[in-house]
Amino acid sequence: MLPAGSKDRGAEADGASLSPIRDPARRYRATGTKAGVALVGALLAAGCGGGTAAAPPPTTTTTTTTRPAGPTTSTTAATTTTAPVNQASGQRTVLSPIGLNVRSGPSTTAHPLAIAAQGTVLTVLGHTASGGGWYKVRGTTVTGWISDNSALSAPGRFAAYSSNAFDVLYPAGWSEAGTPGRGVTFQAPSSPDKVVVKSAATTGGLHFTAPGAGVALSGTRQVLACGVTTAMVTYTTPGALAFLAEISLPVRAHLVLGVEAKLGSAAQLPVLLRFVHSLSFPAQACVGGPKTKPTSSSAAVGRSSTSVAGKPGKPAPTSTTR
């Protein structure tokens, strides 16, 4: 897994926006739009005559790392590891608000080549389960390895929503409408699935959907949003939108964010988690989040919606992800 450390958002229609490791403050912008969700997955070759061609054998990659000389030695010691690499394809978008390290090999000890900013689109070339799981990816200027942690990147392309209350990525092709104070609704294009993110002065002001007849608590789990840990409560409900999830995030004094998802089934939960993992907000606890922006009230918070090019004016990162 390769977390990085850039707060700027960037993506390009034909590759990745990468910041050289020697200058993590360098910014890259996207030319992509909200439309065009990329299909992600490995391609299987079908044989002729009714048979099925065998999948190509995995290749291997070799990574060499060095460690400083010990107190009794005068030379450095090198460690070489070899990992099997399976074919994989598609695109992945960086979710982490602080970016994602692109390394020279599938290991946290491998040299970091660049930092892919949040919103960067990377082309997948391969995958290995070695070392916790890594994708081999290609950007516009570098080829390397990123962590396969689903909290750090996701398949396909995303658009970016930005406001004084929060910033978030959402799947390309989804629509968005509303304001933070009243709730910004992100709607799937071909299903009733939707995610609503809203702001309020108190938790009670979020006005989550009241459980009604037939609604049953199904579970509670901890989630992490921009460095803040909170609980996600899930319910089963009757009807087409059979799965309900609610998250309350205390950002700072007089500002609470709420995330509510209404989905067709629990299998759609990763959709909600991608919102949560890309969410950032103006609070000191939010690692990589936007600077605090004054506003007279949560209902009056402004907004703007852009492609994954991101939001100008974010400071240079002070830390990196895996």
Side-chain angles (χ1 to χ4, degrees), residues 254-280:
H254 310 300
L255 179 58
V256 179
L257 291 181
V259 182
E260 183 177 47
K262 296 180 180 180
L263 307 169
S265 70
Q268 297 298 102
L269 183 59
V271 173
L272 169 61
L273 292 178
R274 289 163 193 160
F275 278 85
V276 175
H277 294 150
S278 69
L279 187 67
S280 62

Side-chain angles (χ1 to χ4, degrees), residues 30 80 141 158 191 218 310:
T80 300
T141 58
F158 288 73
S191 75
S218 62

Side-chain angles (χ1 to χ4, degrees), residues 25-293:
R26 181 177 176 187
R27 307 171 59 82
Y28 293 77
R29 295 301 177 208
T31 57
T33 63
K34 294 183 181 179
V37 179
L39 298 178
V40 180
L43 301 179
L44 302 179
C48 298
T52 301
T59 58
T60 60
T61 184
T62 300
T63 304
T64 300
T65 59
T66 60
R67 57 181 175 82
T72 61
T73 62
S74 58
T75 59
T76 59
T79 301
T80 300
T81 58
T82 300
V85 181
N86 298 303
Q87 285 188 341
S89 61
Q91 294 178 320
R92 294 191 72 85
T93 297
V94 176
L95 299 179
S96 171
I98 60 173
L100 185 59
N101 279 325
V102 180
R103 295 185 181 269
S104 60
S107 167
T108 54
T109 60
H111 177 67
L113 303 173
I115 297 170
Q118 184 187 53
T120 297
V121 180
L122 300 165
T123 300
V124 177
L125 305 175
H127 179 267
T128 180
S130 177
W134 298 83
Y135 285 108
K136 186 175 184 180
V137 296
R138 182 180 64 241
T140 53
T141 58
V142 70
T143 296
W145 295 83
I146 64 167
S147 166
D148 70 358
N149 188 334
S150 61
L152 304 177
S153 70
R157 288 178 174 267
F158 288 73
Y161 174 90
S162 180
S163 73
N164 288 343
F166 66 88
D167 296 349
V168 72
L169 299 185
Y170 62 97
W174 284 45
S175 62
E176 56 86 4
T179 63
R182 294 180 177 274
V184 181
T185 299
F186 301 93
Q187 178 72 56
S190 56
S191 75
D193 293 347
K194 63 180 178 180
V195 175
V196 180
V197 185
K198 61 181 72 175
S199 63
T202 64
T203 302
L206 293 175
H207 300 300
F208 284 136
T209 301
V215 176
L217 177 68
S218 62
T220 302
R221 61 179 286 184
Q222 296 294 304
V223 295
L224 186 67
C226 201
V228 177
T229 301
T230 190
M232 177 176 67
V233 183
T234 57
Y235 304 86
T236 56
T237 69
L241 295 173
F243 187 76
L244 172 66
E246 297 173 350
I247 299 170
S248 174
L249 282 164
V251 174
R252 62 173 190 267
H254 310 300
L255 179 58
V256 179
L257 291 181
V259 182
E260 183 177 47
K262 296 180 180 180
L263 307 169
S265 70
Q268 297 298 102
L269 183 59
V271 173
L272 169 61
L273 292 178
R274 289 163 193 160
F275 278 85
V276 175
H277 294 150
S278 69
L279 187 67
S280 62
F281 35 84
Q284 186 175 4
C286 180
V287 179
K291 291 181 176 180
T292 302
K293 308 167 192 176

